[in-house]
Structures are given as structure tokens and as C-alpha cells.
Amino acid sequence: MKPPQEAAAAGGRKRRRRGGGRNRRNPQALSSSQGADPPPPSPPAKRQRGADATPKGRGSKPKPTSLLDKMRARLSGGHFRMLNEKLYTCSGQDAFDYFTNEPDLFDVYHAGYQEQMSHWPEQPVNVIINWLKSHSASWTVADFGCGNAAVSKNVKNKVFSIDLVSEDPSVIACDMAHTPLESSFVEVAIFCLSLMGTNYPSYIQEANRVLKPSGWLLIAEVRSRLDPNTGGADPDKFCEAISKLGFSLVSKDAKNKMFILFYFRKKVSYATSVP
């Protein structure tokens, strides 16, 4: 039997061991007993709306910085109509000079043009492309006001794409009344929604110059511009004006509700046939 002093000491050792075990099981209590403050609890995460919620400003598109970027970002039908009106109310040379000095605005115009065309049930350029595919691939074509050169990209014919501004090396940038093409050089001349400007008759005269005898002239025009009921020109008088510039009307495709497509041929001594 152990003496009382030894038994007390043994019991104290056992209690200390049990206490030490409790401290090992509770690290926070151990830290408190050593005088250290426990680390603060982490704040609860804020609930986000949606599984893929993104902090404000993160992942958003960068804001446009230049005037041109702002114009592109805010492009609307109004911007397109403004530039469209500019082209209709100035001469070809003035339009050429204007977009030569501000070539980026030409991109703005064509972005608006493509936006407008995307709402049309059928686009005249596709009708013209199909017409060319149904005729000889050996014909040479002059595409006046070619835009994105869709005709050249979709037919086997040799196509001279002409417009006011050229970012594509295959496009000839010039005033359409004065092209570098040789006289009597092409079989087909196209104006697809591009017969614009106060001096548009000079474009037709240039087309007559570069066309071979009996060559084709295709003109696609917005229907509203040829509707006297809405302030447009009389389509018959329009055809008479083109005829006076050296062409004969072969046929007119007016079945589309957005545009009218005219097929003319350069006046020759023999009768022409329907395309």
C-alpha cells in the first residue's frame, strides 16, 4: 500500500494527464490556456444570384474608348440612314473624297448595311449571283459598288469589284464615274443597290463605256425609291432615263417586296432576249 503523499501525487499526475488529453482534443482551449487569442471565424460567404454570378465589372465587355468604337457600339438604323443619305445627296467624287479621308466610316456604313439586309427575306445580290451562275462563266463582270465583294466570292467569272474604299486588294477604289477599266471590256455591269449620288447618270455612262456591244446591265434598286406613292421616282420614267443613256430594257423582276431588279442590254442592231 502506497503512502498518502505518493497516492496524492499519483492522482495529480493522472488528473494532469486527463487534463492534457482534453487540451489535445480541444486546440482552442489549449490556445486560450496559453494566453493567445483564438483566430477569428471566417465570415460567411455571400450568397450569389445564379450559379455563375460574376462580380460587378468582372467578365464584362471593355468599354469602347475611341469615337469610332462608340459609333460601332451604338450603331443603329439612324446611323446607317445618315450615311446613306450622304451618299444619295452628294456626287460620286465628293463621296470618294469623303470616305477616302474617313475610311473607318465606310466600315460603319457597311456594318449598318449588313444589319439592314439581314432583315430582308431575300437579298438582290443573291439573285444576281444565281443569274450569273446560269450564264457563261467566261463572261467578265464589273461590279459597281461591290461592298464586301460577294459577287466575286461566289461565282467563277472574272469580276472587277469596284467601290469607294478598298481594304481588300482585289477591290478597286475609285469614283465609279471614272474607273480604270478599258472600253468595251466586260460582258456584265452590275449596280446592286449602289446607284447612288447626284451624278448617277455618269455611272451608267461609265458602264456603257466598259461594256461590250450587247453587254448586260443589271440594276437592283430599293422598291420604295421607285414608288411614286411614297415620294419615289416613277419606274417607267427611270427606265426611259436609262434607255436614253444607251440601253434597252429586256425585263423587270418586281416580285420581291423589298427591291426591283432591272435587266438592260447595251443597245445593238439586233433584238435582245429575255435573261
Side-chain angles (χ1 to χ4, degrees):
M1 182 174 181
K2 294 183 181 180
Q5 293 85 354
E6 292 180 7
R13 284 196 295 273
K14 290 180 181 179
R15 284 194 294 271
R16 282 195 295 273
R17 282 196 295 271
R18 286 195 296 269
R22 285 194 297 270
N23 286 341
R24 283 194 296 273
R25 287 192 297 270
N26 189 351
Q28 184 171 327
L30 178 62
S31 298
S32 300
S33 67
Q34 294 175 346
D37 294 331
S42 300
K46 294 182 179 180
R47 186 177 181 182
Q48 294 178 334
R49 285 178 291 183
D52 58 348
T54 305
K56 185 178 180 180
R58 187 176 300 176
S60 59
K61 295 181 180 179
K63 294 182 178 180
T65 54
S66 70
L67 176 61
L68 176 61
D69 289 339
K70 289 178 181 178
M71 287 185 69
R72 283 173 173 161
R74 300 173 57 191
L75 185 63
S76 66
H79 289 114
F80 169 72
R81 285 191 293 271
M82 179 187 70
L83 291 171
N84 203 48
E85 184 68 16
K86 172 76 175 178
L87 291 174
Y88 275 116
T89 56
C90 70
S91 69
Q93 185 62 52
D94 289 341
F96 177 67
D97 293 340
Y98 178 72
F99 285 117
T100 298
N101 294 329
E102 299 287 347
D104 289 334
L105 290 181
F106 199 64
D107 294 336
V108 173
Y109 170 78
H110 274 288
Y113 175 85
Q114 293 298 330
E115 168 63 20
Q116 295 290 314
M117 289 296 101
S118 68
H119 300 291
W120 285 28
E122 185 174 36
Q123 298 189 22
V125 67
N126 293 332
V127 178
I128 291 172
I129 287 170
N130 290 332
W131 183 87
L132 284 171
K133 287 180 177 180
S134 69
H135 290 76
S136 175
S138 66
W139 285 357
T140 302
V141 180
D143 186 6
F144 289 80
C146 65
N148 61 359
V151 173
S152 177
K153 295 173 183 176
N154 288 279
V155 298
K156 295 179 180 180
N157 305 71
K158 172 62 178 176
V159 179
F160 290 91
S161 301
I162 303 165
D163 216 324
L164 295 170
V165 174
S166 171
E167 293 181 352
D168 184 335
S170 68
V171 177
I172 301 169
C174 65
D175 173 7
M176 294 191 297
H178 305 284
T179 72
L181 301 182
E182 298 177 6
S183 298
S184 301
F185 184 62
V186 303
E187 279 84 7
V188 182
I190 299 169
F191 289 91
C192 183
L193 307 181
S194 59
L195 199 57
M196 310 164 75
T198 56
N199 64 324
Y200 80 85
S202 63
Y203 304 161
I204 301 299
Q205 290 173 336
E206 179 66 359
N208 189 297
R209 181 186 71 82
V210 303
L211 276 168
K212 292 179 179 179
S214 76
W216 289 96
L217 171 65
L218 275 58
I219 301 176
E221 191 52 80
V222 178
R223 179 179 286 275
S224 60
R225 290 195 69 211
L226 296 173
D227 185 355
N229 297 322
T230 59
D234 185 308
D236 293 332
K237 292 182 178 180
F238 172 76
C239 291
E240 289 177 8
I242 301 299
S243 296
K244 290 179 180 179
L245 296 172
F247 294 91
S248 299
L249 178 65
V250 177
S251 67
K252 179 176 66 175
D253 180 358
K255 64 178 178 291
N256 192 284
K257 68 177 184 178
M258 302 302 293
F259 64 89
I260 301 176
L261 183 55
F262 300 90
Y263 297 86
F264 294 91
R265 295 193 80 169
K266 187 174 179 177
K267 288 182 178 178
V268 289
S269 57
Y270 55 86
T272 57
S273 59
V274 177

